[in-house]
Amino acid sequence: MSVFPITQLFPGKLYTTAISGPNIQVLDTSTGDIRHKVTDSAGPVRCAAIDQGFRYLATAGDDKILKIWEIEDLKLVNERQVLMVKILAIYSEHCLENFQNARLRSSSRRTQRPSSSLTKKQKKDALSSHENPSGGSLILGHTSLLYAFLLSQDEKYIITADRDEHIRVSWYPQGYNIEMYCLGHTKFVSAIHNPAFAPAELVSGGGDPMLKIWDWMTGLVKHEIPVWETVEPYIRIRSSKRKRGADSEDGSEVRRKGRGKKTKGKGKAKAEAEADDVVETPVIETSENALASNTGDSVGVEDKVEKVLVIHKIETTASRNIIFSAVGGTALFSVAYPGNGAPAVIRALELGQPVLDFVVAPQDNRIWVTLDGNWSDGTEPRTKCFVLAIEISESGELSKSTSDSPVTRTLNSTALLPATEDDLKRLELYNDLVAMPKGFEAENDPEGDTAPPEPEKQSKRILGRLKNKQKVLDKERELAVAVDDEVKEPDAKKTKSDVGGQQDVDMAEAQ
């Protein structure tokens, strides 16, 4: 019988909170007893976050409702409608930060307990494209989808990463002030981490074959750690691309993005999104030479199967070791934080099942790993395991914990709730393998269209406007040449700390 795997785990001194599909469970950390359990009728919990004091839990799902729970009794404190389906959330010291990761490519902030009344600010105005039912304030926006973000250790800056290989450092909460860009990735950035022992540095990873360590205030790369050769043998879930002419499950032919009759406006964007969802599916490797697709085989049509690197998460330990995992990988990886000039040695601990998530427990520096216990390589029956406790030595060696804690026993037994095959498909555990890569289809499809797209015909009105603009630009260039070449040097850009210090000086002089 299949059960819901535990997708997120929050171990604390008093309580441990587990997320599995639509289920939220609170366990007593010392005894392992399940104290409270709630099932969200809206479907799977897509993301969750917890505050530093382990008092409140924030969850969000497909119903576009952000919910705040009290952990002690799992009581729903507040809920608010948001405009995005997929949400990334973190807790800051003072309030809940909810950052929306979807087509609008924006980030916004919400207080922990917003009022329930709809104010004038929340209603749609002439400059808004939609209403703001949750009352959030916009912090920043990207021109591409946001994949990762964090607040700096002092919570003065917000660092965001997107699908277009950009890492941006902005003031917080004045996100319109961009402090720095960290540019150097050639593929999407899916995970970033700001170590507590090195607050001026940033570790990033995604689709590139290496991790990068930045001085994020200067935008310079300090170190690069190649990881692909070590990670690649452990990736057991692959990305499948159905070739042109493949049939969908209902028998209709799937038309891929960029082919066929063109559409305009919103219809074109909708058609492209639907095409992406249909033709790209993760494939589970069931043996060394055989692959089984979860969408079935089509007669006369072969699926392209590729290994794709997607760094899922990056963390560090107090012993200055970097811990990371890859989507669809069956191992957890560690490497010593660079700094002494020694070559990076990546250590892998094979766990036998795909790693869904992991968390470094602050109280004992133990690493809790959640696994897809329903997965099987098809070779021989094995004991299903959904949660493991991992220990790490000072040198970075990973090993399974020999002590069997009450929480581990409960999470691998009574905390597992039954699920159907449809329930498991709705979890979309490996969807990042096909959703995050950019241009993967064109790079791996030899039958794809290679001819450049035909330029769109411009109307006479548009051509006239372009001609007038060109005349204006030519006139401005002529005037610029006539002006004296001496240009005053701009003032050096002040960092946020400098601005704050100057304000203090001005106030002192005023007094």
Side-chain angles (χ1 to χ4, degrees), residues 140-198:
L140 57 84
H142 275 233
T143 58
S144 183
L145 303 184
L146 292 177
Y147 281 168
F149 74 95
L150 55 79
L151 294 178
S152 60
Q153 296 291 334
D154 58 4
E155 296 191 1
K156 291 184 178 180
Y157 298 92
I158 176 173
I159 305 175
T160 52
D162 64 20
R163 193 185 190 190
D164 284 343
E165 311 97 33
H166 300 147
I167 299 177
R168 182 199 298 179
V169 181
S170 308
W171 291 15
Y172 176 77
Q174 302 90 355
Y176 47 82
N177 288 323
I178 300 175
E179 184 69 29
M180 182 57 61
Y181 280 97
C182 299
L183 304 178
H185 281 282
T186 60
K187 295 183 179 180
F188 61 89
V189 182
S190 56
I192 54 178
H193 175 69
N194 182 213
F197 55 79

Side-chain angles (χ1 to χ4, degrees), residues 141-279:
H142 275 233
T143 58
S144 183
L145 303 184
L146 292 177
Y147 281 168
F149 74 95
L150 55 79
L151 294 178
S152 60
Q153 296 291 334
D154 58 4
E155 296 191 1
K156 291 184 178 180
Y157 298 92
I158 176 173
I159 305 175
T160 52
D162 64 20
R163 193 185 190 190
D164 284 343
E165 311 97 33
H166 300 147
I167 299 177
R168 182 199 298 179
V169 181
S170 308
W171 291 15
Y172 176 77
Q174 302 90 355
Y176 47 82
N177 288 323
I178 300 175
E179 184 69 29
M180 182 57 61
Y181 280 97
C182 299
L183 304 178
H185 281 282
T186 60
K187 295 183 179 180
F188 61 89
V189 182
S190 56
I192 54 178
H193 175 69
N194 182 213
F197 55 79
E201 297 180 358
L202 179 78
V203 187
S204 64
D208 285 318
M210 79 283 291
L211 302 181
K212 293 180 181 290
I213 299 180
W214 308 79
D215 181 343
W216 53 269
M217 283 298 291
T218 63
L220 300 178
V221 177
K222 300 185 66 175
H223 306 280
E224 289 187 347
I225 305 175
V227 299
W228 174 244
E229 290 186 359
T230 304
V231 174
E232 188 269 340
Y234 297 97
I235 296 180
R236 305 297 295 275
I237 312 296
R238 307 189 184 190
S239 179
S240 174
K241 295 289 179 174
R242 186 174 297 167
K243 292 184 179 180
R244 180 170 48 183
D247 294 334
S248 62
E249 293 182 2
D250 59 359
S252 59
E253 183 177 341
V254 176
R255 184 168 57 196
R256 306 185 78 173
K257 182 174 64 173
R259 301 189 178 99
K261 184 178 180 181
K262 293 183 179 180
T263 56
K264 296 182 179 180
K266 296 181 180 179
K268 181 178 179 181
K270 183 177 180 180
E272 291 179 353
E274 291 176 351
D276 287 340
D277 294 339
V278 173
V279 302

Side-chain angles (χ1 to χ4, degrees), residues 271-292:
E272 291 179 353
E274 291 176 351
D276 287 340
D277 294 339
V278 173
V279 302
E280 301 179 350
T281 54
V283 169
I284 300 177
E285 183 175 343
T286 55
S287 66
E288 191 65 26
N289 299 316
L291 298 174

Side-chain angles (χ1 to χ4, degrees), residues 41-86:
S41 59
V45 176
R46 296 299 180 186
C47 72
I50 204 166
D51 71 319
Q52 296 178 358
F54 276 77
R55 294 184 56 196
Y56 296 101
L57 171 73
T59 63
D62 295 337
D63 58 348
K64 303 180 183 181
I65 301 294
L66 175 66
K67 300 177 181 179
I68 310 296
W69 312 78
E70 284 186 351
I71 294 179
E72 185 175 2
D73 54 3
L74 208 54
K75 177 183 177 182
L76 183 62
V77 176
N78 192 278
E79 60 180 5
R80 272 299 174 96
Q81 180 183 358
V82 292
L83 299 172
M84 308 301 170
V85 175
K86 187 175 182 181

Side-chain angles (χ1 to χ4, degrees), residues 244-485:
R244 180 170 48 183
D247 294 334
S248 62
E249 293 182 2
D250 59 359
S252 59
E253 183 177 341
V254 176
R255 184 168 57 196
R256 306 185 78 173
K257 182 174 64 173
R259 301 189 178 99
K261 184 178 180 181
K262 293 183 179 180
T263 56
K264 296 182 179 180
K266 296 181 180 179
K268 181 178 179 181
K270 183 177 180 180
E272 291 179 353
E274 291 176 351
D276 287 340
D277 294 339
V278 173
V279 302
E280 301 179 350
T281 54
V283 169
I284 300 177
E285 183 175 343
T286 55
S287 66
E288 191 65 26
N289 299 316
L291 298 174
S293 172
N294 59 5
T295 59
D297 298 330
S298 300
V299 178
V301 178
E302 295 181 356
D303 285 345
K304 293 182 64 63
V305 180
E306 298 287 344
K307 285 189 176 182
V308 177
L309 176 62
V310 178
I311 298 298
H312 170 68
K313 192 174 185 179
I314 302 173
E315 294 286 344
T316 53
T317 64
S319 56
R320 297 181 66 91
N321 287 287
I322 299 174
I323 311 298
F324 66 96
S325 65
V327 178
T330 59
L332 189 67
F333 305 93
S334 71
V335 60
Y337 200 87
N340 56 3
V345 178
I346 302 177
R347 299 174 174 85
L349 177 63
E350 171 63 63
L351 301 177
Q353 292 164 315
V355 176
L356 299 180
D357 195 20
F358 71 90
V359 58
V360 179
Q363 59 269 21
D364 56 5
N365 213 34
R366 180 176 293 185
I367 304 171
W368 293 86
V369 183
T370 62
L371 306 171
D372 183 4
N374 296 310
W375 177 85
S376 174
D377 59 3
T379 55
E380 59 183 13
R382 66 174 66 200
T383 303
K384 290 187 177 182
C385 183
F386 291 85
V387 177
L388 276 177
I390 305 297
E391 296 179 352
I392 182 170
S393 64
E394 292 290 332
S395 61
E397 292 288 346
L398 298 171
S399 61
K400 297 180 182 180
S401 178
T402 56
S403 59
D404 189 15
S405 66
V407 171
T408 305
R409 290 195 297 267
T410 302
L411 292 174
N412 285 294
S413 56
T414 56
L416 299 177
L417 301 176
T420 64
E421 292 298 324
D422 290 338
D423 291 334
L424 297 180
K425 287 183 179 180
R426 288 187 64 189
L427 296 181
E428 300 178 345
L429 298 177
Y430 309 107
N431 190 56
D432 287 345
L433 292 174
V434 294
M436 286 193 171
K438 182 180 179 181
F440 180 82
E441 178 178 341
E443 294 175 1
N444 295 275
D445 188 0
E447 298 181 1
D449 296 335
T450 57
E454 296 181 0
E456 296 183 3
K457 295 182 179 180
Q458 305 288 354
S459 64
K460 292 183 178 180
R461 179 180 296 179
I462 295 177
L463 292 174
R465 290 177 180 175
L466 293 176
K467 188 175 181 179
N468 291 336
K469 288 183 179 180
Q470 186 62 42
K471 290 181 179 180
V472 173
L473 291 176
D474 293 341
K475 188 65 175 178
E476 290 179 352
R477 292 192 185 97
E478 294 176 1
L479 294 175
V481 172
V483 177
D484 187 10
D485 293 334

